[in-house]
Structure formats: structure tokens, C-alpha cells
Amino acid sequence: MKKVAVLGYGTVGSGVVEVMEQNARFIEQNVGETLEVKYIVDVRDFPDSPHADKMTKDFSIVENDPEVEIVVETIGGAGIAYEFTKRSLQAGKSVITSNKELVAKHGLELLGLAKEKNLNYLFEASVGGGIPIIRPITQCLAANRIDEVYGILNGTTNYILTEMIQNGRSFEDALKNAQALGYAEQNPAADIEGTDACRKISILSDLCYGEEVDPNEVETEGITGVTLDDVKCAASLGYRIKLLGRSVRREEGGISVYVAPHLLPETLLLSRVDGVMNGIVVRGNALGESMFYGAGAGKLPTASAVVADVMDAARHSKRRRDIGWEAASEGHLKDASELESRWYIRAALTPEEAEARYGNVVFAKAVDEEGRIAFLTEKKSGKEIFACGEAESRYRVIEG
Amino acid sequence: MKKVAVLGYGTVGSGVVEVMEQNARFIEQNVGETLEVKYIVDVRDFPDSPHADKMTKDFSIVENDPEVEIVVETIGGAGIAYEFTKRSLQAGKSVITSNKELVAKHGLELLGLAKEKNLNYLFEASVGGGIPIIRPITQCLAANRIDEVYGILNGTTNYILTEMIQNGRSFEDALKNAQALGYAEQNPAADIEGTDACRKISILSDLCYGEEVDPNEVETEGITGVTLDDVKCAASLGYRIKLLGRSVRREEGGISVYVAPHLLPETLLLSRVDGVMNGIVVRGNALGESMFYGAGAGKLPTASAVVADVMDAARHSKRRRDIGWEAASEGHLKDASELESRWYIRAALTPEEAEARYGNVVFAKAVDEEGRIAFLTEKKSGKEIFACGEAESRYRVIEG
């Protein structure tokens, strides 16, 4: 029997305990022994929980109990979670997490510490929730040179955009609805400003290209600027607006990483990933494009990915998974505004002015409420587009 | 350095050699040592190949060379491939394959032999070509009770159906086109009659539920009966016709597995998986539904999955992956005609007769060339549907 401690009894942490109980039979068959939650560490009281006997507020009990081999960190944030993760690893315990902020910020250091101690630090649930993506990238696509990874990485913003597209709700209405349904926090900034997607695309970049990407250096634009006018103009061109994190290998070396709303053609499979679902596309030089789709958040889906990592760590208690990346080499992260693509522009211009500034363009059938036109340009870099003058909206187009 | 032998220098085998050369740098970084193809075994002559010096017609040279640790079997079929796989394992070499026929027919025995010898027998490429699916199921979804797996498992038939749906081609025309493009064999039976999909859903069932499914016992219907009339009637109901392999956990124990054309609503992501692409949906009790999408066949995509397995075997040369299944228990495979679903029916009936026989139905706006009607029924088992009388077409509806 392997003993596990769960740090943080919030949505994901309580889901982990639930999945371990509910699927105990399958887990035991797979691992070859039972997994038992010995402690649940949380600063809050849960007197009515059936697991009250396992609750403690004192992390040092976990730290000092040699029976605990695996620690699940579902506290979130990069404060106390960072400290407890380090102390757990230093105490000889493998750590499993769903904490994208911590992995994006301190993954390099924590993976280094895990390697030094011959322990596992696993984080499948940190990107894409329950969707398998970390292992497929590191194992199944290992024979590929990965050239691009991009996707819908945040369910809250995808829900809001889907409501705007399918039901004509305004951004504000859709956000309120998302909050009422529990899809968005009362303070939704990390979602709607793109921070959450930024952390995830940073982790995917770390894994796909083997060098650390500092999320603070990733150009990040959320969806607060996307209007119903944009949704309508995009639709009249045959496109849908989705918030993407995107990371591209540059031919001259290095990569570019950014988060921004994009226009996707309705014929592209990713444009059909709706509601709170996530979809992540990976392009390899042998495989071409593959896509991974599923629930990117939520209690049980996320917990199922955490528990799969716990099982993996239990099976590999003597042999760590060789997963990790290096510090960034000089010039690894290149300016994303150098990347070329078609662009969607909505601006107060006459058609003649648009063509004079942007060259050959394709005009949307719709105009916005103020009568401003919208159009798609030919392929241009961000720098070229910004040099063409002011616009109400400027979004890249993904052709797929 | 690890030495590899490739058996069969056809499309996939030559792709394996190409990927290993082209991505040698990434492969070495990942594995920690170089992988070298020492022999290529094929009965044919390839005098102009740059690899002519590695070619041999004599498998026993591979068998008797202790330097060769990993054998790639890309011969296909269950004849000589079966013999060479057994002899390779008996000679202490791990075997990697893309051969779905062999895995579906003899996987239980070959995995048993690999286990006995503490070797790896890996077959990621046997289902979904380059799409990661075997590892995600066995590792990432390990904390789930898997309740259903289904998908578009054959690119050739999906290409033909897509041509029928999008371009109004007849089945015969679309097949000829697929043959001209190299997507279909000159003898296309294994694809269009569903045999290939049957082998793949059998392997997925083996993995998801842990007991062997004999592909000969899987009810299999191909796409030769799908007509443009059906495509048109389905479209008028908001559905698309796709060939699915499907495997469902039964509440009373056991599973049902079958291959047949289905109607999928246009709103379902899987219905948008077009052309030669594959999409596989897995439903777990914690995760919900996730989907894996990509190139299900083709030289380099399939080869990239084979090479990823080679890399895995090279890293785990002393420790085999614990992957496998048991012999089927009594009553494991249950009659698929007991499964309930809505059905699509096209038949020479009046609307009144249709309602008298099938109950509440939803009529298609279109009728076929002979004026026969089409409609969707309420949920019924296959047995109930067959008892309702003759019909031109009868396909299950997947609601997603």
C-alpha cells in the first residue's frame, strides 16, 4: 500500500480524494497495490467531511511522516504551494500537481530538485485539465521535431466566446452567466485577461522545445476587447473568434509564444471546440497535426489526471520519469510580432483607405454598429500590421 | 548506441528508417543515446536504396545477432509477421509494430511471451496511425473506469464518405478517387467492409476493458451499403454519416463491440472529422469525453508512432511496460443488437406506416430517388428495430 497526502481540499483536491475512492478497484488493478489518502492538509475546517479524521492544518506532519511517499499539491498559486512542494521533495516525497502557475513559474527549479532527489514531479493536470497532453507530447510525439503547438487552453473564455457566437450575448452578459454557472471566478481577471492561457502555453513551450519560457515575457491579450461586432463581422467572413495560446518554432532558431484572440475558419476542427471544452493542436514534422480535446477544467476531469499521475509515481517509485527542460538559451524567446499571418481588421476606414493601407483585403459582408468596416488582410507580420495605423480590432487569422 | 532491425520495407517500414534519420538529433536527446538501423529485412530487392548495405532477405541474421535489441515489424498480416515476432521475442529482442491484424488476433499470446521474457511488445501505431491513443488510454486515463470508446478508425472509408457528403460523389466514384490518390488499395475490401476498423476497435476494447476481444466475433458492417440517398436524407435531418467502431461497457457486466455506419449530428465534433483523418472518443467516468484526432494512416505519421515506441523500448530496455490484457471471461462479449439508440431508417413506407411500425419518428425533409421516406426513431435496441420489418437502410444515431 502506498500512502498519499493531499494538500489543499478545494475543488481539485476533494475531487482527487473522490476519484481515488470511487475508482479504487481500477486503480489497484493498474498499480498492483492500493493507494490510500493518509492526510488532507488545509487551513480550513471541514467538520462534516467523511474524511475529517484525515484532516490536518499542519503540513509538517506530512513532511515528517516517512510513510507518505506521494504528495498531491492542489493548493494553487506560487506562494505556500511553492514552499510545500520544495519541502516535500526535500523530504523524499514525489509531488503531483495541477498548479499551472507554479509549474510555469518554478517548474525548472522544482524539476531540477526532483531529479536531484530521484523523485517524480508530475503535472499532467496543469494543462488541459483532464485531457492527456503532457504525456502524449513527451512520449508519443517524441520521434517528431515539434514545430507548433496552439490551442484553446481556457474553458472560461471559450464558454464566454461561444455564448457570444451562438447566442449573441454581449461579453458582459456572457461573463455574468459564466460566473452564475461557476465557470468563472468572481474575480475573473486570470481567465479573461489571458493569464491562465499564458501559463499553459508557457508550460507547453517548455515541454515541446526543451527550454524554459518565462510567462512574464509572453505577450498576452485576453478577450475583454472582443465585441459582438467582431463576432458578427467574423461570422460574415466564415470565421469564429477563439482565444488561443500559440507557440511556434522559428526557422532561424528560437520560438515565439503569445496569447491572443484569433479568427478560425468554420471548416477548421478547432473552431468547433465550444463551451468550456479545450482543444490543443500539436504539429510535428512527421505526424502533421493532431488534436487533443476534452474537459479542460472541472473537479473530476482534472482530478482524474492528477490521480493518473499519482498512479504513475506509485508504479515508478524507484525510477523517476525523465521529464524536464533547460534554462532558456540566449535569444530563445523571439518577438511574436515578427510572425506572419493573415489579419482581421475592424476600423473606421473607407474600403479605398483600407486597400491603400493594407493592400489586397477581403471585406466582411457585415459592418459594425457604427458602420465601420471589417476585412481580412494578406499575410503580414504584426509589426507591418501595427504600422498600418489605428484600428478598433486586430486579430490574427489561423488557416489551419 | 542501440541497434534496430526493420522487418518489411514497405510504406511504414521505409518511413521508420526515414524518421529515424531525419529526427536523429531529437531522438538522441530524448533517449540519451543514438539508435541505428542495422538491418532491413525484406524479400524484395531494393538495389537503388541508400540503405542497400543494410538489406537482407534472411531474418535469421537478425535473430542470431545479439547486438540487435529492438525489432520493428512492419510486414503486416498475421502470417510471417507472427512467426518473426515470436522468434524475435524468443531471441530476447523487444518488438515494435504497426500491425493491427496481428495485435488484434495474437496480441494476448505475444504480450504474454513478451512478459515472460521481460521484453516490450509495443503497438501504438496499430490504432490511429500517428495519433497518440494507446498510451493515453493505458496511462493518462488510468484513473478512470472507461465506459465507452468509439471513433472514426479508418481513413479510407472516411475519405470516401467525406467525398460523398461534401462533393456529392457516388460511393463508386469516391472509391475510384481514393484509389487514384493512394488512399485505398486496389483490393479495398479490408477498408470498405469494415475489417480494418474491426481490428482497431478490438484492440481498443482489449486495452480499455482488460479482456481479449476476438475480432471474428465483432459484428462488422462496412460502408458499401451507404448511398448518396442516405447522405442526402441524413443531411436534411442535420446529420452526417460516418463509419464508427464502437465499444461500450454494459451495466450488467461485459461489453458490446461492433463496427457500422452511424448518423452523427453536425454539432458533434466527431462529425467534423473529415477526409483521411481519424478521431477517437474515449469516455471515462471521471474525465467525461475526450477526443484524439489526427492522421490515422500515412507513411510518416504512422512511422513517427512506431519510432516513439522504439525510443520507449530503448529507454526501458531493462524494464518492460506493463501493458496487456487477459483472456476473455465467460460472457464478456455481449450481443451488440441489445444496445439501445435512436435509429435512422430509409424504407418504402408511407408516413403512417412508419409511425405504426416504429412509433414516434422524425421525418427527413428529403426522400430518396425512388420517393422512399427516411426518418429517425426513438431509442430502440437493434433487436426491436430488426423486428419492425424490412428497410433499405438502418443506421444507428450517435447523439454525443
Side-chain angles (χ1 to χ4, degrees), chain A residues 243-362:
Chain A
L243 181 68
L244 302 186
R246 184 164 174 246
S247 182
V248 186
R249 181 187 292 278
R250 301 286 296 266
E251 272 179 31
E252 64 274 33
I255 63 172
S256 287
V257 189
Y258 66 96
V259 174
H262 285 71
L263 266 68
L264 280 60
E266 288 170 3
T267 48
L268 192 69
L269 195 63
L270 190 64
S271 79
R272 306 279 173 171
V273 171
D274 288 328
V276 293
M277 304 305 269
N278 287 14
I280 304 166
V281 176
V282 187
R283 184 159 58 82
N285 71 333
L287 174 57
E289 287 202 348
S290 61
M291 188 177 97
F292 303 84
Y293 164 85
K299 180 176 176 166
L300 294 185
T302 307
S304 81
V306 172
V307 177
D309 273 349
V310 171
M311 294 164 66
D312 201 11
R315 280 191 308 259
H316 288 76
S317 55
K318 296 270 155 48
R319 190 174 186 289
R320 64 179 295 279
R321 287 220 162 266
D322 197 15
I323 185 173
W325 49 84
E326 309 287 322
S329 59
E330 177 96 20
H332 177 60
L333 193 63
K334 294 212 154 54
D335 190 346
S337 72
E338 292 163 5
L339 290 176
E340 290 197 341
S341 68
R342 298 183 74 192
W343 287 78
Y344 159 88
I345 309 284
R346 180 166 59 88
L349 298 172
T350 64
E352 294 71 29
E353 286 168 337
E355 285 178 327
R357 289 197 195 177
Y358 292 90
N360 276 329
V361 302
V362 177

Side-chain angles (χ1 to χ4, degrees), chain A residues 19 22-23 25-27 30 124 129-133 135-136 138-146 249 266-267 269-270 272-273 277 285-295 300-305 307-309 311-312 315-316 319 321-322, chain B residues 19 22-23 25-27 30 124 129-133 135-136 138-146 249 266-267 269-270 272-273 277 285-295 300-305 307-309 311-312 315-316 319 321-322:
Chain A
V19 169
Q22 196 182 337
N23 291 345
R25 186 165 67 88
F26 297 93
I27 293 168
N30 184 293
E124 178 65 68
I131 308 171
I133 182 68
R135 268 183 196 71
T138 52
Q139 293 181 31
C140 308
L141 303 186
N144 283 267
R145 183 191 72 218
I146 295 178
R249 181 187 292 278
E266 288 170 3
T267 48
L269 195 63
L270 190 64
R272 306 279 173 171
V273 171
M277 304 305 269
N285 71 333
L287 174 57
E289 287 202 348
S290 61
M291 188 177 97
F292 303 84
Y293 164 85
L300 294 185
T302 307
S304 81
V307 177
D309 273 349
M311 294 164 66
D312 201 11
R315 280 191 308 259
H316 288 76
R319 190 174 186 289
R321 287 220 162 266
D322 197 15
Chain B
V19 169
Q22 197 183 337
N23 291 345
R25 185 165 68 86
F26 298 93
I27 292 169
N30 184 293
E124 178 66 67
I131 309 171
I133 183 67
R135 268 184 196 69
T138 52
Q139 294 181 29
C140 308
L141 304 186
N144 283 267
R145 183 191 71 220
I146 295 178
R249 182 187 291 276
E266 288 170 3
T267 49
L269 195 64
L270 190 64
R272 305 281 174 170
V273 171
M277 304 306 268
N285 71 334
L287 175 57
E289 287 203 348
S290 61
M291 188 177 97
F292 303 84
Y293 164 85
L300 295 185
T302 307
S304 82
V307 177
D309 274 349
M311 294 163 66
D312 201 11
R315 281 190 307 258
H316 288 76
R319 191 175 185 288
R321 287 219 163 270
D322 198 14

